[in-house]
Amino acid sequence: MNIQDIQAILSGIIHPEKNKDIISLGMVDKISVNDEKIQFTLNFQKAKDPFINSLKKASEFAIRNKYPEFKGDIVILITEAAPKKVEKPEQTTTTGGIKNIIAISSGKGGVGKSTVTSNLAVAFAEKGLKTAILDADIYGPSIPKMFGLESYKPLAERTEGRREVILPAETNGIKIMSIGFFIDPEDALVWRGAMATNALRQLIHQTEWGEIDVLLIDMPPGTGDIHLTIVHELKLTGAVIVTTPQEIALADVVRGIKMFQSEGIGVPVLGIAENMSWFTPAELPDNKYYIFGRNGGKDLAEKAGLQLLAQIPLVQSVSENSDNGTPESSVYTAALADSIISRL
Ligand code: ADP
């Protein structure tokens, strides 16, 4: 447990009157963590704020609930002073050195969005591009497992005169930050949702990405709060929609496309990546079985006036490699990378 963990937990505590969490409100200060004691200060702007006690209790409860094994003291000091200013995202963002930010999205889960994201990142890196992934899929953050990074604990660093930054993992020449590094998959979804939006905002603005050519964002399936957070906090270059040939009839896919294209959001949809297009058994390399139907993604692209960026077959080694933490590019994901590059 470290300062970031405590910040992530406290970013789920909402001040009822201000309707914002206590981290975003700049109320939390001087966090220290060790085996015996967790201590921090809660700054209240208003003397005799009626929520002092309930927020203090809620903070302690949230920490104990998250870390039942911690038996030490939780000391919450209260001060009544103007909260320090929360820096504006434009001033704090760490994404200034990133040339292209691409959201990888899908209508629903299980179509291979994360697998395509990982393999695509490998393809970009193999082309010599400085590549990064931000895994924002709060419902199933699978990028850490796909790169064998389940035990990675992101470190925070504060250099003199600078604010605190969080260091991404780096493997296969790809920088990786995942919401999965911060949330416990066993936490209740409703709790996770509240924490995740704030934690994600922090990841977006505090991750030390450095110079990056392409940042891929593994989005949660469907449309929701996380999508809005991402499109508001980051300037996306475009979105890629992953679908299987079978999903085309699903309203969710169309809704996803419309969300990016809507007036308030205005993120260009670069095209459709059709995954699981056919199955080729290793022993019959020339055979193609269209088990989820044929050309569904292509038809969808035509109907929506979008480009079909690539068709990626169902291959046993693809799923084995992502289970083993060794994602690999193939001619298909390399083709997808080329199609995307040509549209940037
Ligand atoms: P999502 O991110 O859309 O929920 P995943 O990327 O987790 O989906 O993929 C779901 C499952 O399908 C995983 O077990 C993955 O290994 C497998 N999978 C995805 N794409 C392929 C593919 N092209 N070939 C073989 N297996 C695949």
Side-chain angles (χ1 to χ4, degrees):
M1 190 192 337
N2 58 30
I3 293 175
Q4 264 68 46
D5 297 327
I6 300 300
Q7 278 177 332
I9 296 172
L10 297 179
S11 66
I13 307 286
I14 309 291
H15 189 299
E17 194 177 52
K18 304 205 159 104
N19 210 11
K20 262 191 166 174
D21 72 274
I22 57 177
I23 294 281
S24 305
L25 287 167
M27 290 173 60
V28 182
D29 210 0
K30 304 195 183 82
I31 307 179
S32 66
V33 176
N34 62 39
D35 290 346
E36 278 105 49
K37 189 162 96 175
I38 297 169
Q39 179 167 325
F40 56 90
T41 304
L42 278 184
N43 295 310
F44 287 85
Q45 193 172 16
K46 206 161 66 175
K48 307 280 169 287
D49 186 312
F51 297 103
I52 292 180
N53 258 336
S54 60
L55 287 173
K56 205 175 154 184
K57 272 198 193 127
S59 303
E60 173 161 5
F61 175 79
I63 296 169
R64 297 244 183 247
N65 186 42
K66 173 86 197 221
Y67 293 106
E69 70 284 2
F70 175 76
K71 300 284 180 247
D73 293 330
I74 298 181
V75 178
I76 304 174
L77 304 172
I78 303 293
T79 65
E80 289 162 12
K84 64 176 178 177
K85 271 217 169 86
V86 179
E87 294 163 85
K88 283 226 164 59
E90 322 54 292
Q91 291 157 351
T92 64
T93 190
T94 52
T95 51
I98 302 179
K99 294 200 184 110
N100 297 286
I101 305 181
I102 299 168
I104 312 287
S105 210
S106 68
K108 61 167 198 152
V111 299
K113 172 181 51 64
S114 303
T115 309
V116 169
T117 305
S118 305
N119 294 347
L120 182 60
V122 175
F124 278 129
E126 283 175 359
K127 287 179 191 300
L129 295 174
K130 295 198 185 83
T131 307
I133 301 178
L134 173 63
D135 176 11
D137 187 353
I138 58 163
Y139 304 110
S142 45
I143 295 292
K145 181 166 193 307
M146 288 183 182
F147 283 88
L149 293 169
E150 292 103 314
S151 57
Y152 180 76
K153 288 269 170 275
L155 287 174
E157 200 175 68
R158 190 191 289 275
T159 41
E160 216 168 314
R162 290 182 65 202
R163 71 214 156 75
E164 200 170 58
V165 293
I166 311 169
L167 303 179
E170 190 161 359
T171 178
N172 298 47
I174 300 166
K175 289 188 175 161
I176 295 174
M177 183 51 81
S178 171
I179 193 79
F181 295 147
F182 298 86
I183 57 174
D184 183 340
E186 278 163 24
D187 278 347
L189 209 55
V190 51
W191 172 247
R192 242 196 287 170
M195 279 208 331
T197 315
N198 285 303
L200 189 64
R201 217 174 273 141
Q202 213 177 339
L203 289 196
I204 289 172
H205 297 298
Q206 280 181 240
T207 302
E208 181 82 322
W209 294 109
E211 295 291 313
I212 295 289
D213 294 313
V214 194
L215 169 68
L216 301 178
I217 306 186
D218 189 356
M219 304 287 275
T223 51
D225 282 358
I226 295 288
H227 297 77
L228 294 181
T229 303
I230 291 190
V231 297
H232 284 145
E233 308 270 329
L234 286 169
K235 177 137 186 46
L236 298 188
T237 316
V240 170
I241 312 288
V242 180
T243 179
T244 71
Q246 204 182 14
E247 301 333 311
I248 49 137
L250 276 182
D252 291 346
V253 182
V254 177
R255 232 192 324 266
I257 296 172
K258 289 210 171 124
M259 176 197 66
F260 286 114
Q261 293 175 332
S262 68
E263 224 172 274
I265 292 181
V267 171
V269 177
L270 302 176
I272 307 282
E274 189 191 85
N275 188 32
M276 311 192 186
S277 299
W278 62 83
F279 171 64
T280 297
E283 59 283 9
L284 293 168
D286 296 327
N287 289 24
K288 287 181 174 178
Y289 300 95
Y290 296 91
I291 49 186
F292 293 126
R294 195 163 179 173
N295 288 333
K298 191 164 164 234
D299 296 343
L300 169 73
E302 264 165 31
K303 244 191 248 158
L306 295 170
Q307 187 168 337
L308 177 72
L309 298 169
Q311 291 182 303
I312 303 168
L314 192 65
V315 177
Q316 192 172 340
S317 63
V318 166
S319 104
E320 283 167 0
N321 287 336
S322 57
D323 279 352
N324 296 338
T326 53
E328 263 180 25
S329 168
S330 64
V331 287
Y332 305 102
T333 34
L336 175 59
D338 287 336
S339 289
I340 292 175
I341 291 169
S342 74
R343 313 220 4 119
L344 294 177

PDB file of all heavy atoms in Angstrom, residues 106 108-116 137 140 142 146 218 221 275-276 312-320 322-323, ligand 1:
ATOM      1  N   SER A 106     -15.208  -0.979 -28.483  1.00  0.00           N
ATOM      2  CA  SER A 106     -16.074  -2.044 -29.021  1.00  0.00           C
ATOM      3  C   SER A 106     -17.464  -1.869 -28.445  1.00  0.00           C
ATOM      4  O   SER A 106     -17.652  -1.173 -27.438  1.00  0.00           O
ATOM      5  CB  SER A 106     -15.526  -3.422 -28.659  1.00  0.00           C
ATOM      6  OG  SER A 106     -15.624  -3.631 -27.268  1.00  0.00           O
ATOM      7  N   LYS A 108     -19.400  -4.337 -27.273  1.00  0.00           N
ATOM      8  CA  LYS A 108     -19.530  -5.153 -26.058  1.00  0.00           C
ATOM      9  C   LYS A 108     -18.220  -5.897 -25.793  1.00  0.00           C
ATOM     10  O   LYS A 108     -17.304  -5.857 -26.615  1.00  0.00           O
ATOM     11  CB  LYS A 108     -20.702  -6.123 -26.192  1.00  0.00           C
ATOM     12  CG  LYS A 108     -20.552  -7.096 -27.339  1.00  0.00           C
ATOM     13  CD  LYS A 108     -21.564  -8.212 -27.225  1.00  0.00           C
ATOM     14  CE  LYS A 108     -21.123  -9.369 -28.097  1.00  0.00           C
ATOM     15  NZ  LYS A 108     -21.549 -10.649 -27.693  1.00  0.00           N
ATOM     16  N   GLY A 109     -18.173  -6.559 -24.640  1.00  0.00           N
ATOM     17  CA  GLY A 109     -16.944  -7.253 -24.259  1.00  0.00           C
ATOM     18  C   GLY A 109     -16.790  -8.574 -25.005  1.00  0.00           C
ATOM     19  O   GLY A 109     -17.748  -9.094 -25.576  1.00  0.00           O
ATOM     20  N   GLY A 110     -15.580  -9.068 -25.015  1.00  0.00           N
ATOM     21  CA  GLY A 110     -15.330 -10.407 -25.545  1.00  0.00           C
ATOM     22  C   GLY A 110     -15.089 -10.487 -27.038  1.00  0.00           C
ATOM     23  O   GLY A 110     -14.920 -11.573 -27.585  1.00  0.00           O
ATOM     24  N   VAL A 111     -15.040  -9.332 -27.723  1.00  0.00           N
ATOM     25  CA  VAL A 111     -14.826  -9.381 -29.173  1.00  0.00           C
ATOM     26  C   VAL A 111     -13.332  -9.347 -29.519  1.00  0.00           C
ATOM     27  O   VAL A 111     -12.964  -9.466 -30.683  1.00  0.00           O
ATOM     28  CB  VAL A 111     -15.563  -8.231 -29.903  1.00  0.00           C
ATOM     29  CG1 VAL A 111     -17.060  -8.322 -29.670  1.00  0.00           C
ATOM     30  CG2 VAL A 111     -15.031  -6.868 -29.480  1.00  0.00           C
ATOM     31  N   GLY A 112     -12.496  -9.184 -28.509  1.00  0.00           N
ATOM     32  CA  GLY A 112     -11.052  -9.206 -28.739  1.00  0.00           C
ATOM     33  C   GLY A 112     -10.437  -7.821 -28.762  1.00  0.00           C
ATOM     34  O   GLY A 112      -9.321  -7.638 -29.267  1.00  0.00           O
ATOM     35  N   LYS A 113     -11.114  -6.851 -28.181  1.00  0.00           N
ATOM     36  CA  LYS A 113     -10.609  -5.469 -28.177  1.00  0.00           C
ATOM     37  C   LYS A 113      -9.224  -5.385 -27.523  1.00  0.00           C
ATOM     38  O   LYS A 113      -8.314  -4.793 -28.083  1.00  0.00           O
ATOM     39  CB  LYS A 113     -11.626  -4.593 -27.455  1.00  0.00           C
ATOM     40  CG  LYS A 113     -11.201  -3.181 -27.194  1.00  0.00           C
ATOM     41  CD  LYS A 113     -12.289  -2.444 -26.447  1.00  0.00           C
ATOM     42  CE  LYS A 113     -12.772  -3.189 -25.220  1.00  0.00           C
ATOM     43  NZ  LYS A 113     -11.752  -3.379 -24.170  1.00  0.00           N
ATOM     44  N   SER A 114      -9.073  -6.011 -26.347  1.00  0.00           N
ATOM     45  CA  SER A 114      -7.785  -5.912 -25.647  1.00  0.00           C
ATOM     46  C   SER A 114      -6.700  -6.699 -26.376  1.00  0.00           C
ATOM     47  O   SER A 114      -5.544  -6.278 -26.424  1.00  0.00           O
ATOM     48  CB  SER A 114      -7.913  -6.448 -24.217  1.00  0.00           C
ATOM     49  OG  SER A 114      -8.911  -5.751 -23.548  1.00  0.00           O
ATOM     50  N   THR A 115      -7.080  -7.833 -26.929  1.00  0.00           N
ATOM     51  CA  THR A 115      -6.113  -8.636 -27.683  1.00  0.00           C
ATOM     52  C   THR A 115      -5.623  -7.847 -28.900  1.00  0.00           C
ATOM     53  O   THR A 115      -4.412  -7.785 -29.176  1.00  0.00           O
ATOM     54  CB  THR A 115      -6.771  -9.965 -28.153  1.00  0.00           C
ATOM     55  OG1 THR A 115      -7.387 -10.564 -27.020  1.00  0.00           O
ATOM     56  CG2 THR A 115      -5.778 -10.899 -28.782  1.00  0.00           C
ATOM     57  N   VAL A 116      -6.561  -7.233 -29.602  1.00  0.00           N
ATOM     58  CA  VAL A 116      -6.184  -6.438 -30.780  1.00  0.00           C
ATOM     59  C   VAL A 116      -5.313  -5.256 -30.340  1.00  0.00           C
ATOM     60  O   VAL A 116      -4.292  -4.960 -30.964  1.00  0.00           O
ATOM     61  CB  VAL A 116      -7.457  -5.968 -31.547  1.00  0.00           C
ATOM     62  CG1 VAL A 116      -7.108  -4.930 -32.602  1.00  0.00           C
ATOM     63  CG2 VAL A 116      -8.169  -7.158 -32.177  1.00  0.00           C
ATOM     64  N   ASP A 137     -10.029  -0.014 -19.357  1.00  0.00           N
ATOM     65  CA  ASP A 137     -11.184  -0.914 -19.287  1.00  0.00           C
ATOM     66  C   ASP A 137     -11.433  -1.336 -17.838  1.00  0.00           C
ATOM     67  O   ASP A 137     -10.918  -2.354 -17.371  1.00  0.00           O
ATOM     68  CB  ASP A 137     -10.934  -2.135 -20.185  1.00  0.00           C
ATOM     69  CG  ASP A 137     -12.162  -3.020 -20.278  1.00  0.00           C
ATOM     70  OD1 ASP A 137     -13.147  -2.760 -19.548  1.00  0.00           O
ATOM     71  OD2 ASP A 137     -12.144  -3.968 -21.081  1.00  0.00           O
ATOM     72  N   GLY A 140     -12.735  -4.964 -17.074  1.00  0.00           N
ATOM     73  CA  GLY A 140     -11.869  -6.127 -17.244  1.00  0.00           C
ATOM     74  C   GLY A 140     -10.520  -5.656 -17.736  1.00  0.00           C
ATOM     75  O   GLY A 140     -10.185  -5.819 -18.901  1.00  0.00           O
ATOM     76  N   SER A 142      -7.422  -6.131 -18.824  1.00  0.00           N
ATOM     77  CA  SER A 142      -6.672  -7.351 -19.116  1.00  0.00           C
ATOM     78  C   SER A 142      -5.289  -7.095 -19.701  1.00  0.00           C
ATOM     79  O   SER A 142      -4.514  -8.026 -19.906  1.00  0.00           O
ATOM     80  CB  SER A 142      -7.485  -8.248 -20.059  1.00  0.00           C
ATOM     81  OG  SER A 142      -8.027  -7.477 -21.090  1.00  0.00           O
ATOM     82  N   MET A 146      -1.982  -9.622 -20.279  1.00  0.00           N
ATOM     83  CA  MET A 146      -1.520  -9.903 -21.642  1.00  0.00           C
ATOM     84  C   MET A 146      -0.032  -9.619 -21.818  1.00  0.00           C
ATOM     85  O   MET A 146       0.604 -10.176 -22.695  1.00  0.00           O
ATOM     86  CB  MET A 146      -2.335  -9.099 -22.651  1.00  0.00           C
ATOM     87  CG  MET A 146      -3.739  -9.653 -22.768  1.00  0.00           C
ATOM     88  SD  MET A 146      -4.723  -8.827 -23.986  1.00  0.00           S
ATOM     89  CE  MET A 146      -6.267  -9.732 -23.760  1.00  0.00           C
ATOM     90  N   ASP A 218      -7.153   1.320 -24.452  1.00  0.00           N
ATOM     91  CA  ASP A 218      -8.083   0.190 -24.414  1.00  0.00           C
ATOM     92  C   ASP A 218      -9.306   0.657 -23.627  1.00  0.00           C
ATOM     93  O   ASP A 218      -9.269   0.772 -22.403  1.00  0.00           O
ATOM     94  CB  ASP A 218      -7.399  -1.006 -23.734  1.00  0.00           C
ATOM     95  CG  ASP A 218      -8.222  -2.277 -23.847  1.00  0.00           C
ATOM     96  OD1 ASP A 218      -9.343  -2.220 -24.388  1.00  0.00           O
ATOM     97  OD2 ASP A 218      -7.745  -3.334 -23.391  1.00  0.00           O
ATOM     98  N   PRO A 221     -15.910  -1.608 -22.893  1.00  0.00           N
ATOM     99  CA  PRO A 221     -16.895  -1.820 -23.965  1.00  0.00           C
ATOM    100  C   PRO A 221     -18.100  -0.891 -23.788  1.00  0.00           C
ATOM    101  O   PRO A 221     -18.364  -0.419 -22.685  1.00  0.00           O
ATOM    102  CB  PRO A 221     -17.315  -3.281 -23.786  1.00  0.00           C
ATOM    103  CG  PRO A 221     -16.893  -3.654 -22.413  1.00  0.00           C
ATOM    104  CD  PRO A 221     -15.758  -2.770 -22.026  1.00  0.00           C
ATOM    105  N   ASN A 275     -12.478  -8.535 -36.092  1.00  0.00           N
ATOM    106  CA  ASN A 275     -11.683  -9.590 -35.433  1.00  0.00           C
ATOM    107  C   ASN A 275     -12.457 -10.908 -35.491  1.00  0.00           C
ATOM    108  O   ASN A 275     -13.673 -10.907 -35.591  1.00  0.00           O
ATOM    109  CB  ASN A 275     -11.409  -9.186 -33.977  1.00  0.00           C
ATOM    110  CG  ASN A 275     -10.430 -10.130 -33.290  1.00  0.00           C
ATOM    111  OD1 ASN A 275      -9.525 -10.691 -33.920  1.00  0.00           O
ATOM    112  ND2 ASN A 275     -10.610 -10.332 -31.996  1.00  0.00           N
ATOM    113  N   MET A 276     -11.732 -12.004 -35.422  1.00  0.00           N
ATOM    114  CA  MET A 276     -12.318 -13.351 -35.483  1.00  0.00           C
ATOM    115  C   MET A 276     -13.057 -13.534 -36.826  1.00  0.00           C
ATOM    116  O   MET A 276     -14.128 -14.132 -36.901  1.00  0.00           O
ATOM    117  CB  MET A 276     -13.259 -13.616 -34.302  1.00  0.00           C
ATOM    118  CG  MET A 276     -12.634 -13.251 -32.946  1.00  0.00           C
ATOM    119  SD  MET A 276     -13.591 -13.860 -31.569  1.00  0.00           S
ATOM    120  CE  MET A 276     -12.736 -13.145 -30.169  1.00  0.00           C
ATOM    121  N   ILE A 312      -8.998  -9.788 -39.101  1.00  0.00           N
ATOM    122  CA  ILE A 312      -8.030 -10.561 -38.308  1.00  0.00           C
ATOM    123  C   ILE A 312      -8.640 -11.922 -37.983  1.00  0.00           C
ATOM    124  O   ILE A 312      -9.726 -11.985 -37.395  1.00  0.00           O
ATOM    125  CB  ILE A 312      -7.686  -9.822 -36.991  1.00  0.00           C
ATOM    126  CG1 ILE A 312      -7.153  -8.417 -37.303  1.00  0.00           C
ATOM    127  CG2 ILE A 312      -6.695 -10.612 -36.152  1.00  0.00           C
ATOM    128  CD1 ILE A 312      -7.054  -7.503 -36.085  1.00  0.00           C
ATOM    129  N   PRO A 313      -7.992 -13.013 -38.390  1.00  0.00           N
ATOM    130  CA  PRO A 313      -8.595 -14.329 -38.140  1.00  0.00           C
ATOM    131  C   PRO A 313      -8.462 -14.789 -36.688  1.00  0.00           C
ATOM    132  O   PRO A 313      -7.669 -14.245 -35.914  1.00  0.00           O
ATOM    133  CB  PRO A 313      -7.803 -15.253 -39.061  1.00  0.00           C
ATOM    134  CG  PRO A 313      -6.497 -14.586 -39.250  1.00  0.00           C
ATOM    135  CD  PRO A 313      -6.731 -13.110 -39.127  1.00  0.00           C
ATOM    136  N   LEU A 314      -9.252 -15.769 -36.381  1.00  0.00           N
ATOM    137  CA  LEU A 314      -9.196 -16.421 -35.079  1.00  0.00           C
ATOM    138  C   LEU A 314      -8.076 -17.454 -35.170  1.00  0.00           C
ATOM    139  O   LEU A 314      -8.130 -18.348 -36.008  1.00  0.00           O
ATOM    140  CB  LEU A 314     -10.538 -17.113 -34.849  1.00  0.00           C
ATOM    141  CG  LEU A 314     -10.914 -17.656 -33.506  1.00  0.00           C
ATOM    142  CD1 LEU A 314     -11.049 -16.549 -32.499  1.00  0.00           C
ATOM    143  CD2 LEU A 314     -12.238 -18.397 -33.609  1.00  0.00           C
ATOM    144  N   VAL A 315      -7.052 -17.297 -34.359  1.00  0.00           N
ATOM    145  CA  VAL A 315      -5.899 -18.200 -34.421  1.00  0.00           C
ATOM    146  C   VAL A 315      -5.568 -18.625 -32.997  1.00  0.00           C
ATOM    147  O   VAL A 315      -5.502 -17.771 -32.098  1.00  0.00           O
ATOM    148  CB  VAL A 315      -4.676 -17.474 -35.048  1.00  0.00           C
ATOM    149  CG1 VAL A 315      -3.453 -18.362 -35.066  1.00  0.00           C
ATOM    150  CG2 VAL A 315      -4.988 -17.001 -36.451  1.00  0.00           C
ATOM    151  N   GLN A 316      -5.384 -19.920 -32.836  1.00  0.00           N
ATOM    152  CA  GLN A 316      -5.183 -20.427 -31.474  1.00  0.00           C
ATOM    153  C   GLN A 316      -4.002 -19.752 -30.780  1.00  0.00           C
ATOM    154  O   GLN A 316      -4.085 -19.391 -29.615  1.00  0.00           O
ATOM    155  CB  GLN A 316      -4.976 -21.941 -31.526  1.00  0.00           C
ATOM    156  CG  GLN A 316      -5.061 -22.578 -30.160  1.00  0.00           C
ATOM    157  CD  GLN A 316      -5.057 -24.091 -30.251  1.00  0.00           C
ATOM    158  OE1 GLN A 316      -5.356 -24.654 -31.292  1.00  0.00           O
ATOM    159  NE2 GLN A 316      -4.707 -24.746 -29.178  1.00  0.00           N
ATOM    160  N   SER A 317      -2.900 -19.578 -31.537  1.00  0.00           N
ATOM    161  CA  SER A 317      -1.697 -19.030 -30.886  1.00  0.00           C
ATOM    162  C   SER A 317      -1.928 -17.600 -30.388  1.00  0.00           C
ATOM    163  O   SER A 317      -1.301 -17.152 -29.431  1.00  0.00           O
ATOM    164  CB  SER A 317      -0.514 -19.076 -31.851  1.00  0.00           C
ATOM    165  OG  SER A 317      -0.789 -18.258 -32.962  1.00  0.00           O
ATOM    166  N   VAL A 318      -2.864 -16.885 -31.034  1.00  0.00           N
ATOM    167  CA  VAL A 318      -3.141 -15.503 -30.596  1.00  0.00           C
ATOM    168  C   VAL A 318      -3.664 -15.520 -29.172  1.00  0.00           C
ATOM    169  O   VAL A 318      -3.205 -14.777 -28.303  1.00  0.00           O
ATOM    170  CB  VAL A 318      -4.160 -14.816 -31.541  1.00  0.00           C
ATOM    171  CG1 VAL A 318      -4.703 -13.530 -30.921  1.00  0.00           C
ATOM    172  CG2 VAL A 318      -3.512 -14.523 -32.876  1.00  0.00           C
ATOM    173  N   SER A 319      -4.616 -16.417 -28.929  1.00  0.00           N
ATOM    174  CA  SER A 319      -5.174 -16.427 -27.573  1.00  0.00           C
ATOM    175  C   SER A 319      -4.174 -17.037 -26.586  1.00  0.00           C
ATOM    176  O   SER A 319      -4.071 -16.593 -25.434  1.00  0.00           O
ATOM    177  CB  SER A 319      -6.545 -17.091 -27.578  1.00  0.00           C
ATOM    178  OG  SER A 319      -6.508 -18.355 -27.081  1.00  0.00           O
ATOM    179  N   GLU A 320      -3.400 -18.017 -27.031  1.00  0.00           N
ATOM    180  CA  GLU A 320      -2.380 -18.593 -26.130  1.00  0.00           C
ATOM    181  C   GLU A 320      -1.342 -17.545 -25.746  1.00  0.00           C
ATOM    182  O   GLU A 320      -0.975 -17.414 -24.574  1.00  0.00           O
ATOM    183  CB  GLU A 320      -1.693 -19.786 -26.805  1.00  0.00           C
ATOM    184  CG  GLU A 320      -2.566 -21.018 -26.785  1.00  0.00           C
ATOM    185  CD  GLU A 320      -2.061 -22.120 -27.719  1.00  0.00           C
ATOM    186  OE1 GLU A 320      -1.022 -21.932 -28.402  1.00  0.00           O
ATOM    187  OE2 GLU A 320      -2.721 -23.158 -27.759  1.00  0.00           O
ATOM    188  N   SER A 322      -1.644 -14.332 -25.690  1.00  0.00           N
ATOM    189  CA  SER A 322      -2.105 -13.288 -24.768  1.00  0.00           C
ATOM    190  C   SER A 322      -2.332 -13.865 -23.383  1.00  0.00           C
ATOM    191  O   SER A 322      -2.128 -13.171 -22.380  1.00  0.00           O
ATOM    192  CB  SER A 322      -3.301 -12.496 -25.306  1.00  0.00           C
ATOM    193  OG  SER A 322      -4.354 -13.325 -25.610  1.00  0.00           O
ATOM    194  N   ASP A 323      -2.686 -15.121 -23.297  1.00  0.00           N
ATOM    195  CA  ASP A 323      -2.799 -15.747 -21.964  1.00  0.00           C
ATOM    196  C   ASP A 323      -1.434 -15.871 -21.291  1.00  0.00           C
ATOM    197  O   ASP A 323      -1.312 -15.782 -20.075  1.00  0.00           O
ATOM    198  CB  ASP A 323      -3.402 -17.155 -22.076  1.00  0.00           C
ATOM    199  CG  ASP A 323      -4.915 -17.092 -22.182  1.00  0.00           C
ATOM    200  OD1 ASP A 323      -5.469 -15.998 -22.010  1.00  0.00           O
ATOM    201  OD2 ASP A 323      -5.534 -18.135 -22.457  1.00  0.00           O
TER     202      ASP A 323
HETATM  203  P1  ADP B   1     -12.334  -7.866 -25.051  1.00  0.00           P
HETATM  204  O1  ADP B   1     -11.182  -6.987 -24.723  1.00  0.00           O
HETATM  205  O2  ADP B   1     -13.119  -7.389 -26.255  1.00  0.00           O
HETATM  206  O3  ADP B   1     -13.225  -8.186 -23.886  1.00  0.00           O
HETATM  207  P2  ADP B   1     -10.358  -9.972 -25.244  1.00  0.00           P
HETATM  208  O4  ADP B   1      -9.283  -9.288 -26.015  1.00  0.00           O
HETATM  209  O5  ADP B   1     -10.180 -10.155 -23.787  1.00  0.00           O
HETATM  210  O6  ADP B   1     -11.766  -9.270 -25.524  1.00  0.00           O
HETATM  211  O7  ADP B   1     -10.606 -11.371 -25.971  1.00  0.00           O
HETATM  212  C1  ADP B   1     -11.555 -12.310 -25.529  1.00  0.00           C
HETATM  213  C2  ADP B   1     -10.999 -13.708 -25.737  1.00  0.00           C
HETATM  214  O8  ADP B   1     -10.859 -13.980 -27.113  1.00  0.00           O
HETATM  215  C3  ADP B   1      -9.631 -13.891 -25.111  1.00  0.00           C
HETATM  216  O9  ADP B   1      -9.565 -15.176 -24.580  1.00  0.00           O
HETATM  217  C4  ADP B   1      -8.679 -13.780 -26.311  1.00  0.00           C
HETATM  218  O10 ADP B   1      -7.499 -14.525 -26.117  1.00  0.00           O
HETATM  219  C5  ADP B   1      -9.512 -14.345 -27.437  1.00  0.00           C
HETATM  220  N1  ADP B   1      -9.201 -13.748 -28.749  1.00  0.00           N
HETATM  221  C6  ADP B   1      -9.399 -12.471 -29.135  1.00  0.00           C
HETATM  222  N2  ADP B   1      -9.042 -12.290 -30.424  1.00  0.00           N
HETATM  223  C7  ADP B   1      -8.569 -13.480 -30.868  1.00  0.00           C
HETATM  224  C8  ADP B   1      -8.048 -13.949 -32.120  1.00  0.00           C
HETATM  225  N3  ADP B   1      -7.946 -13.156 -33.175  1.00  0.00           N
HETATM  226  N4  ADP B   1      -7.676 -15.260 -32.195  1.00  0.00           N
HETATM  227  C9  ADP B   1      -7.811 -16.069 -31.118  1.00  0.00           C
HETATM  228  N5  ADP B   1      -8.309 -15.713 -29.933  1.00  0.00           N
HETATM  229  C10 ADP B   1      -8.692 -14.423 -29.806  1.00  0.00           C
END
